[in-house]
Amino acid sequence: MESKHGEGIGFGKAIVFNEHFVVYGIPSIVSAIGKYTLAKVTPGEKPGWTLEDNRKATPRYKEDKLEQQKESIDNIIKTMDIDVSKEGIHILLEGNLYCASGIGASAASCVAIARALDEYYELDLSDEQINNIAYEGEKGYHGTPSGVDNTASTFGGLIWFQRGDEQQIDRILVQNPIEVVIGNTGKVADTKAAVAGVRERKERNPEKYQEIFDRAENITYLAKDALETGDLKELGKLMNENHKLLQQIEVSTKELNFLVDVARANGAYGAKLTGGGLGGNMIALTPGKQLQEQVATAIEKEGFQVVKTVIGASRGDMVQ
């Protein structure tokens, strides 16, 4: 008899505009990327849950995040009202999403685990329910997550996301998926610390920060137009400007700025940090396979790892 098991996937993501600003109710644009984490759930040998994490990762990433990961899995199990006190479960994580800061690895694992548990326990949950469960899981990593990572990871595609009393989540449709290069600094970022630092500086310097935040808001509306009309040159310019604002709120680093400069010098339409900053990844807009290859090669020559992927692909396109 075939043993009981469940599996599920969650996509990685790239924030294309307005990480950090999103925490304060300013709209952001985020895309799922065509790399994912796969979770498999099988019966455990003892009560409780066990984890086997076979994901490839930046050195120290999994070790540094281990306590947060335990809290996250406990949150997911509790939110799903699953009892593992008598019959335990074993969770296996793998997939082709390389775990690094800023690429939505924690959200991808939360979504994948929620989907795998859903299948294992035959709960028949909707995507909205999976998304809500993954958000609770994200609290283990981020304290108060924006909700944007788990949303992209669950639904795929490009998303306009705005926090508020009522979260606004709208799909942005593009004519074709757009090639990007994601460059990894190799530094593990502490998102909680980055968010806390911005909050502290904003409170100390409210007028300066208000100007920056107003500009960030304006940029997102222009970027949405550029995406919908296919004006990728304009989109690149807006990404460059968004990076400047992220530098001004002090979440970029010399490694991130270096990778951004390398990408731009080698033809990228635009480049900026993506994710929490203080390490992690940058994203470069490189429409067309040839430009994508050119920019990726230049970054690799400098000794950094890259991911070549697309933004704007729907979940259906990415699963195939």
Side-chain angles (χ1 to χ4, degrees):
M1 185 177 142
E2 197 182 334
S3 72
K4 187 177 172 189
H5 85 288
E7 59 181 64
I9 64 171
F11 294 107
K13 72 94 190 29
I15 297 182
V16 193
F17 287 93
N18 280 354
E19 38 276 276
H20 284 287
F21 302 110
V22 70
V23 174
Y24 299 89
I26 287 172
S28 73
I29 294 174
V30 63
S31 181
I33 59 172
K35 305 284 180 186
Y36 59 84
T37 292
L38 171 67
K40 295 180 180 176
V41 175
T42 49
E45 290 176 4
K46 58 182 195 290
W49 59 265
T50 52
L51 176 70
E52 185 182 342
D53 191 345
N54 290 343
R55 297 174 300 166
K56 290 192 169 68
T58 295
R60 299 287 321 152
Y61 177 90
K62 293 194 287 194
E63 294 82 354
D64 290 351
K65 302 273 183 188
L66 188 59
E67 288 312 308
Q68 295 176 355
Q69 186 178 40
K70 287 176 184 169
E71 188 184 327
S72 169
I73 293 172
D74 285 339
N75 286 357
I76 290 170
I77 288 170
K78 186 179 169 194
T79 305
M80 294 179 82
D81 205 16
I82 288 167
D83 182 6
V84 291
S85 64
K86 295 183 184 68
E87 289 181 9
I89 53 169
H90 180 68
I91 301 166
L92 169 68
L93 291 178
E94 47 193 27
N96 62 4
L97 178 69
Y98 186 89
C99 298
S101 300
I103 206 160
S106 62
S109 70
C110 291
V111 171
I113 290 167
R115 286 201 195 282
L117 289 168
D118 174 45
E119 187 176 283
Y120 185 81
Y121 290 103
E122 298 174 355
L123 303 174
D124 202 21
L125 300 174
S126 67
D127 279 346
E128 280 78 9
Q129 288 169 305
I130 293 290
N131 193 28
N132 291 336
I133 292 159
Y135 177 78
E136 294 302 316
E138 275 278 85
K139 286 182 179 176
Y141 292 96
H142 299 304
T144 312
S146 66
V148 69
D149 287 20
N150 46 278
T151 301
S153 185
T154 302
F155 293 99
L158 265 164
I159 291 166
W160 172 276
F161 180 88
Q162 189 168 10
R163 275 176 83 170
D165 297 333
E166 283 294 312
Q167 284 190 351
Q168 187 187 350
I169 298 171
D170 295 323
R171 309 301 290 276
I172 298 174
L173 298 176
V174 289
Q175 288 145 359
N176 296 297
I178 307 158
E179 288 82 7
V180 295
V181 173
I182 295 171
N184 179 9
T185 62
K187 297 269 193 301
V188 179
D190 183 338
T191 304
K192 277 184 187 172
V195 171
V198 172
R199 188 174 297 280
E200 185 194 317
R201 291 187 292 277
K202 186 174 186 289
E203 283 166 4
R204 266 206 319 263
N205 217 332
E207 283 175 19
K208 175 191 167 189
Y209 269 63
Q210 193 54 52
E211 273 179 38
I212 296 169
F213 278 54
D214 288 346
R215 184 63 194 140
E217 181 162 14
N218 188 29
I219 282 173
T220 20
Y221 286 95
L222 296 171
K224 183 172 185 279
D225 285 347
L227 278 163
E228 288 175 338
T229 58
D231 188 347
L232 300 184
K233 286 276 196 233
E234 176 65 10
L235 189 70
K237 282 182 198 157
L238 292 165
M239 285 172 72
N240 290 341
E241 199 169 334
N242 206 207
H243 183 69
K244 199 180 290 177
L245 298 180
L246 291 159
Q247 287 174 310
Q248 287 170 6
I249 63 167
E250 297 178 42
V251 292
S252 195
T253 61
K254 66 177 193 303
E255 294 90 353
L256 283 165
N257 294 336
F258 176 72
L259 290 180
V260 162
D261 290 343
V262 170
R264 291 177 190 166
N266 285 277
Y269 285 23
K272 59 183 280 294
L273 71 84
T274 182
L278 302 185
N281 287 274
M282 56 67 71
I283 181 169
L285 185 67
T286 55
K289 288 272 191 287
Q290 193 180 341
L291 181 57
Q292 184 185 44
E293 196 56 51
Q294 188 174 305
V295 171
T297 302
I299 292 171
E300 284 176 329
K301 273 190 182 147
E302 297 291 348
F304 295 88
Q305 277 186 312
V306 298
V307 172
K308 291 178 284 190
T309 187
V310 294
I311 58 171
S314 68
R315 186 167 167 234
D317 289 343
M318 292 194 295
V319 172
Q320 285 167 9

